[in-house]
Amino acid sequence: MNTFLQLLISALLVSSLYSLVAVGFTMYVGVINLANFSHGDTCVLGTFLMMPLFLYATKLGWISASTGLVILILIILLIFLTGLWGAAIYTILVKPLLAAPRLILLLATVAAGQVIREAIRVIYPNGSNPQVFPKLLPSGSLNLSGITLGYDSLTIIFLTIICILSLNFIIQKTKMGVAMRAVSQNADVAQMMGINIEQTIISVFVIGSALAGMAGILNGSYYGITKFNLGSNLGIKGFSAAVIGGLGDFKGAIVGGVLLGFIEVFAAAYIPNGSQYQDVFSFLAVIAFLIFRPSGILGEKIFEKV
Amino acid sequence: MSKKLVYALLAILMTVGLFGCGPAKPAEKQTVKIGFIGPLSGGGAAVGIGAKNSFQLKVDEVLAAGDYPYNVVVVYEDDASDPATGVAAATKIASDPDVVAAATHWNSPVGLATVDVFHKYGMAQVFWGTIHRDIIYGNDYKEPVRVIPTSEQSMELAGDYAKQFGILKWVIINDTTDYGTKIRDEFTAAIEKRGGEVLEAIGVTVGQQDFSAALSRVAELQPEGIFYAGVTTEAAGVRIQAVKMGLTNVLFMGPPGIQSDTFGEITGADAEGTFCSGTFDVNSSEAGKAFVEAYNAKYTEPFEQNGPYAYDSAAIILEALKAVGPDRAKIVDYILSHSYQGVIGKIEWDEYGQNYVGGLTMYVNQDQKWVKYEDSEYASGKRTLPWAK
């Protein structure tokens, strides 16, 4: 029973990270019908931006003074920087290609991911090697009758919930969110109703990239490591979670992330020799969904009239 | 032509002749070539360049002494960690009649591919790297010898320490590469030979981040030790997550693949008291320290793990060349029939040409650094190992 509960906590942690990546991924699909394949690399960009910030703060002696507050400020700064990166990606890459077929734009995002990876290798000192990521989250753990609850795991789950609730609030309750939903349903009509399409799409890129940055640093903090090419795997997992949940559906991305995390952890634990096939199980799940329920768990079926 | 001019020319010629007729020059030393092959480009370049520099350092030191009977030139070839490139490089070196012996390779697949080439040409091949057993034991050639110990020897050492600590119930977590599975099998054999038991071996993949499922199984099995058969990054991940899951009262050990300062950097305080059955500790002897000093005075690139082995490989080839002259067959016989005192300690071949004496060290992580266990505060009793009974 203890093992099961311990696995449950691990699954919740993995699910949180996947959901956070998937939610950002699904925003692009939902609003501008674009699978942004540089999303995973933006997560990694977040970690490589955070490391020098943290180092600088440490050199100034801020980290030892009031660690919690300084880390919070650093995280906010990082969210701002990755958001800025999102705006830059939109301006440089997406805007000129917005009228082009979506496949071209999709390829452009693949290239953007490659640019991030290679830039890290070239610019960051010793960038091809794994980097030690600073421990931003509280260390230590609670021991509840044999079950270990790490404070860092709890913080990640808590922060993921906060991020998702905030995003839900933005989408449902703010003017910007209404604009996003309108553009996602029909961009032409939305424009006729006076919605600034460009501003709406920029906000999608800013929020999506900021979420990616957040997911990246949470992932790095928990595992203690980051690497220039970690984004490919993270991005594919986020994409898979979004597919399972229903591409473009906000709640679906969360459900997909949770399901993917649970499949990975429990299949690896309960299927003999499962640990080495952890990724295989998650991608098998994706294939199964693509065959039997391509619209995902919460996605709506689309009937096309002939 | 006037007479004056003839006399002047005669005087000039006589002067030149007079100065030119000095004592006879000493006979020029014969130039002999020796070869070096390693990964000088690609992912293994850092190790290859460290070994190349170390090899050249020994050659320079020997020649600088002045009494070496030959002028030695080293021919460097790049194997790029690729078997096909390695075979081309080996053929180029072995087919050059002026080259008498070579020190070769870091990657086992390259060594497995070139061992036949050197045998065909009857040239001594001294391995400063590679761990695969079959390079030495998979044939009956007398050309290849290996200075660096095998992973099997390293796992024997791990088994010895496990027995010494009384930790005989193990779970192995191995990566699914050839390296990981080979280490897994060799560690299992070493433990079973000493009356211990490997309760389970759990495979993980290189690049995997989350090991919670594997570690939950470990927690269920309640072993006394966890052995991670793989390399640094994943080993650090396993260690961090094991501590997070409360698996602190078990011995954590790994193979030479985790012998990197990065392990301590990633794991931080969690690295404390973990073990690594690793390669030679260069700072453990005066000769080793002298090597480090001489190397650092000449090169900026680190000599990496294999530098001392390459340095000793050069010493072995040069000693054989000095003793028997530039004759490939005689050099092969000389190398195999002698033992050596190198910076890694005594080098003595078994009947197949594998060094079985020096070059291994058990390390414990102390303050995020790998420290030779015998020199550590854990061995002296100043600190207590986290898993100590």
Side-chain angles (χ1 to χ4, degrees):
Chain A
M1 188 62 188
N2 270 4
T3 307
F4 179 80
L5 290 174
Q6 194 70 62
L7 285 170
L8 196 71
I9 291 158
S10 301
L12 274 174
L13 172 88
V14 176
S15 300
S16 301
L17 293 170
Y18 287 170
S19 297
L20 206 51
V21 182
V23 161
F25 204 100
T26 217
M27 270 183 68
Y28 297 106
V29 182
V31 179
I32 56 166
N33 193 25
L34 169 72
N36 179 0
F37 279 105
S38 71
H39 193 62
D41 295 295
T42 310
C43 297
V44 175
L45 179 70
T47 63
F48 276 87
L49 287 173
M50 180 53 116
M51 284 188 291
L53 286 178
F54 188 84
L55 195 70
Y56 190 62
T58 311
K59 272 189 181 165
L60 292 177
W62 293 353
I63 294 297
S64 52
S66 49
T67 307
L69 184 68
V70 175
I71 287 177
L72 191 68
I73 293 169
L74 288 181
I75 291 176
I76 292 168
L77 188 61
L78 190 275
I79 287 173
F80 174 75
L81 285 175
T82 41
L84 213 60
W85 167 258
I89 280 283
Y90 171 78
T91 314
I92 299 165
L93 193 79
V94 179
K95 198 178 166 189
L97 292 171
L98 215 49
R102 278 296 175 266
L103 189 63
I104 303 292
L105 203 48
L106 185 141
L107 281 175
T109 64
V110 172
Q114 189 72 31
V115 167
I116 294 175
R117 285 197 288 278
E118 292 308 314
I120 290 170
R121 290 182 71 176
V122 173
I123 298 167
Y124 202 84
N126 212 4
S128 297
N129 291 345
Q131 305 290 325
V132 181
F133 194 79
K135 290 178 172 50
L136 305 175
L137 305 175
S139 53
S141 58
L142 277 174
N143 198 319
L144 298 174
S145 51
I147 302 157
T148 312
L149 274 172
Y151 294 135
D152 51 359
S153 310
L154 293 174
T155 312
I156 288 173
I157 295 168
F158 174 74
L159 284 176
T160 304
I161 292 169
I162 294 286
C163 284
I164 287 172
L165 287 178
S166 309
L167 188 63
N168 190 44
F169 177 80
I170 291 171
I171 292 173
Q172 299 298 333
K173 304 284 181 193
T174 65
K175 210 173 163 186
M176 190 204 296
V178 174
M180 281 182 195
R181 282 186 287 146
V183 173
S184 80
Q185 282 176 13
N186 193 322
D188 295 333
V189 176
Q191 196 167 21
M192 280 193 276
M193 294 295 160
I195 288 172
N196 187 334
I197 299 285
E198 189 176 337
Q199 211 175 47
T200 308
I201 299 176
I202 286 185
S203 59
V204 168
F205 271 84
V206 169
I207 295 171
S209 296
L211 275 175
M214 186 71 184
I217 57 170
L218 291 182
N219 189 72
S221 297
Y222 184 76
Y223 295 114
I225 200 162
T226 186
K227 206 177 167 190
F228 76 96
N229 61 359
L230 209 63
S232 320
N233 198 35
L234 263 180
I236 295 277
K237 289 287 169 67
F239 176 62
S240 305
V243 167
I244 290 176
L247 263 179
D249 189 285
F250 176 69
K251 285 176 193 141
I254 301 165
V255 173
V258 170
L259 195 65
L260 195 70
F262 273 69
I263 289 171
E264 262 192 21
V265 171
F266 280 95
Y270 289 112
I271 294 174
N273 287 325
S275 195
Q276 56 188 302
Y277 303 114
Q278 205 161 306
D279 286 345
V280 175
F281 299 128
S282 45
F283 292 129
L284 277 178
V286 175
I287 292 169
F289 268 94
L290 285 174
I291 294 171
F292 299 110
R293 196 177 163 83
S295 55
I297 297 172
L298 298 183
E300 286 174 15
K301 276 190 178 173
I302 299 161
F303 297 99
E304 281 186 25
K305 286 179 185 170
V306 179
Chain B
M1 194 183 284
S2 69
K3 265 188 182 176
K4 269 186 183 173
L5 191 59
V6 172
Y7 288 142
L9 275 174
L10 204 62
I12 290 166
L13 282 171
M14 281 172 72
T15 314
V16 170
L18 202 67
F19 283 106
C21 296
K25 268 190 183 175
E28 280 244 334
K29 280 182 185 176
Q30 182 186 348
T31 297
V32 179
K33 290 185 195 169
I34 58 175
F36 175 97
I37 314 178
L40 305 178
S41 65
V47 178
I49 289 165
K52 171 184 180 261
N53 292 345
S54 306
F55 191 85
Q56 185 66 53
L57 176 67
K58 184 66 193 177
V59 173
D60 291 345
E61 283 176 357
V62 169
L63 296 182
D67 58 349
Y68 197 75
Y70 302 98
N71 182 30
V72 178
V73 174
V74 186
V75 181
Y76 289 103
E77 288 293 335
D78 178 16
D79 65 27
S81 297
D82 171 53
T85 314
V87 167
T91 309
K92 195 173 168 191
I93 280 189
S95 60
D96 180 346
D98 294 336
V99 184
V100 293
T104 61
H105 313 309
W106 181 52
N107 305 84
S108 290
V110 187
L112 285 165
T114 65
V115 77
D116 293 329
V117 177
F118 284 96
H119 170 65
K120 197 172 101 184
Y121 285 93
M123 183 190 278
Q125 183 181 19
V126 183
F127 281 92
W128 52 264
T130 74
I131 55 153
H132 201 290
R133 195 181 181 281
D134 290 352
I135 292 173
I136 298 295
Y137 298 103
N139 53 64
D140 56 358
Y141 306 156
K142 55 182 186 174
E143 288 83 5
V145 291
R146 182 159 50 192
V147 176
I148 194 164
T150 61
S151 54
E152 197 177 5
Q153 287 166 272
S154 178
M155 291 307 99
E156 287 292 318
L157 183 79
D160 285 342
Y161 275 84
K163 194 172 180 189
Q164 182 189 319
F165 295 142
I167 304 285
L168 291 169
K169 270 170 69 185
W170 288 82
V171 167
I172 300 174
I173 300 179
N174 65 282
D175 74 33
T176 49
T177 62
D178 282 351
Y179 179 72
T181 51
K182 191 170 163 54
I183 294 281
R184 173 198 68 195
D185 295 344
E186 287 168 351
F187 182 72
T188 305
I191 286 297
E192 286 173 353
K193 204 196 282 182
R194 288 161 181 81
E197 189 187 358
V198 173
L199 303 170
E200 198 165 306
I202 304 169
V204 294
T205 52
V206 171
Q208 189 170 326
Q209 270 201 306
D210 189 76
F211 302 100
S212 53
L215 289 166
S216 297
R217 178 71 185 139
V218 174
E220 263 184 356
L221 293 164
Q222 297 186 327
E224 295 167 332
I226 299 172
F227 192 90
Y228 183 77
V231 291
T232 307
T233 314
E234 287 76 25
V238 169
R239 176 61 185 170
I240 292 172
Q241 289 170 51
V243 172
K244 276 182 182 168
M245 289 180 79
L247 291 162
T248 46
N249 58 344
V250 285
L251 190 161
F252 184 95
M253 194 187 276
I258 74 164
Q259 190 187 331
S260 159
D261 286 345
T262 313
F263 181 80
E265 286 167 17
I266 300 172
T267 45
D270 293 346
E272 209 56 36
T274 55
F275 278 76
C276 167
S277 177
T279 50
F280 170 66
D281 174 16
V282 78
N283 290 311
S284 66
S285 69
E286 287 309 313
K289 284 177 192 161
F291 160 75
V292 175
E293 202 177 311
Y295 184 96
N296 289 339
K298 201 169 174 188
Y299 301 104
T300 50
E301 301 100 344
F303 53 82
E304 299 283 344
Q305 270 184 28
N306 290 62
Y309 299 105
Y311 182 86
D312 280 353
S313 302
I316 290 164
I317 291 173
L318 292 174
E319 186 186 316
L321 173 64
K322 188 179 178 182
V324 297
D327 181 313
R328 285 186 180 185
K330 283 181 184 167
I331 288 175
V332 168
D333 290 335
Y334 183 92
I335 288 177
L336 204 53
S337 58
H338 286 76
S339 59
Y340 306 85
Q341 189 62 43
V343 292
I344 66 160
K346 193 163 190 201
I347 298 163
E348 213 167 303
W349 318 115
D350 63 12
E351 58 181 306
Y352 296 94
Q354 172 64 48
N355 170 27
Y356 66 94
V357 183
L360 288 169
T361 310
M362 180 58 75
Y363 296 90
V364 65
N365 210 296
Q366 183 180 298
D367 301 326
Q368 280 96 68
K369 295 274 176 211
W370 291 115
V371 178
K372 191 178 179 185
Y373 175 65
E374 283 72 18
D375 299 339
S376 71
E377 292 185 0
Y378 291 104
S380 68
K382 205 169 170 184
R383 298 190 198 193
T384 311
L385 288 160
W387 45 267
K389 289 175 183 172

